[in-house]
Amino acid sequence: MTISSDIQLLLAFIALALAMLIVIGYTGLKLAEENGTDVRVVWYLFSLASVATCIATAWASSVGAIDNQGVFQGELGAAVNAFLTFMLDLDTDLKIFSAILVMVLLPQIASYVLSGLFGCASAPIFVGGAIRFFVWSIVKSFVVAAGIVLSIALYGYFNHWNGWNAKGTASMSSMSGLLLMLSFSMLYLYRDVHAAVDKPSTNWFPKFQRMVADLQGWLTRKVP
């Protein structure tokens, strides 16, 4: 790799880091205005995951489950590796929580439509709770993974694990920052949409609102 390509890579990393910091800072400050608990929970989970990972990694290294090259050794090392793989399996988390959300919402929506054909539709329940569960489940998975990835990256770098160079550490740190950015962004969008739904109805789209009201009235025409 040439010097110019190294400089380009460094500039790209700096630009990415700045973008992530800006998004995290903006969404975090907006959340802090009315949902400060969200910010506190995110940073607590991140801190907890980071500290716990450092302690667990140091312990695993001291008992030989991880050697000085960062390679897992023996049955204990395999168990540690399996646990980390489970905690960082975000794809499975997304599938599981998405399936739960669909299982809760889809039958209710189908029931509402089918019952509405007979004029006795009833508004779906647990919608807000199901969406809140989905959002927070994904956020918690992302935040915990961010803390684990960052801790492992820094621990491996400062302990001179084999192949743990500055570029690799920067790449893993960027992944951690990206997960944090996604977490804050998800919470910000969720809270923003939730607040918009809770506001009194506006007259921005009167025809659309009348159409929805008429449709709802027809679906519930036989409800006392």
Side-chain angles (χ1 to χ4, degrees):
M1 184 175 289
T2 63
I3 296 178
S4 60
S5 60
D6 285 338
I7 294 176
Q8 291 176 356
L9 184 61
L10 177 62
L11 292 176
F13 171 74
I14 293 174
L16 178 62
L18 286 175
M20 290 188 296
L21 288 174
I22 289 172
V23 173
I24 291 173
Y26 175 80
T27 53
L29 288 173
K30 296 295 289 184
L31 283 168
E33 293 178 0
E34 295 184 4
N35 299 283
T37 301
D38 293 357
V39 179
R40 291 191 293 270
V41 170
V42 167
W43 286 126
Y44 174 76
L45 290 173
F46 177 78
S47 302
L48 177 62
S50 300
V51 173
T53 301
C54 286
I55 294 174
T57 305
W59 170 80
S61 298
S62 67
V63 298
I66 302 178
D67 61 22
N68 56 8
Q69 300 300 312
V71 179
F72 295 100
Q73 300 292 335
E75 293 183 0
L76 184 57
V80 174
N81 184 32
F83 178 74
L84 288 175
T85 301
F86 171 76
M87 295 300 295
L88 297 176
D89 190 2
L90 299 180
D91 182 61
T92 298
D93 287 347
L94 283 169
K95 291 177 180 178
I96 291 175
F97 297 133
S98 296
I100 293 174
L101 181 66
V102 171
M103 288 177 62
V104 172
L105 295 187
L106 190 57
Q108 294 188 72
I109 295 173
S111 175
Y112 180 82
V113 173
L114 294 173
S115 300
L117 297 177
F118 296 88
C120 57
S122 178
I125 58 176
F126 305 130
V127 173
I131 295 175
R132 182 167 58 252
F133 170 80
F134 174 77
V135 171
W136 269 110
S137 295
I138 299 299
V139 166
K140 289 176 182 177
S141 296
F142 282 9
V143 171
V144 169
I148 293 174
V149 169
L150 182 62
S151 296
I152 292 177
L154 296 178
Y155 189 94
Y157 178 73
F158 287 113
N159 284 275
H160 308 291
W161 282 358
N162 185 36
W164 236 257
N165 54 28
K167 290 181 181 178
T169 302
S171 177
M172 292 183 69
S173 299
S174 297
M175 178 59 67
S176 175
L178 178 61
L179 290 171
L180 277 175
M181 183 185 73
L182 291 173
S183 299
F184 274 102
S185 298
M186 283 187 65
L187 280 176
Y188 172 71
L189 291 174
Y190 167 69
R191 293 301 185 185
D192 193 46
V193 171
H194 191 271
V197 171
D198 285 343
K199 288 180 180 179
S201 177
T202 63
N203 292 318
W204 289 354
F205 307 102
K207 291 184 178 180
F208 177 74
Q209 290 179 358
R210 284 198 298 270
M211 182 177 67
V212 171
D214 292 340
L215 177 60
Q216 185 177 10
W218 184 81
L219 293 173
T220 59
R221 61 190 182 277
K222 294 185 178 180
V223 177

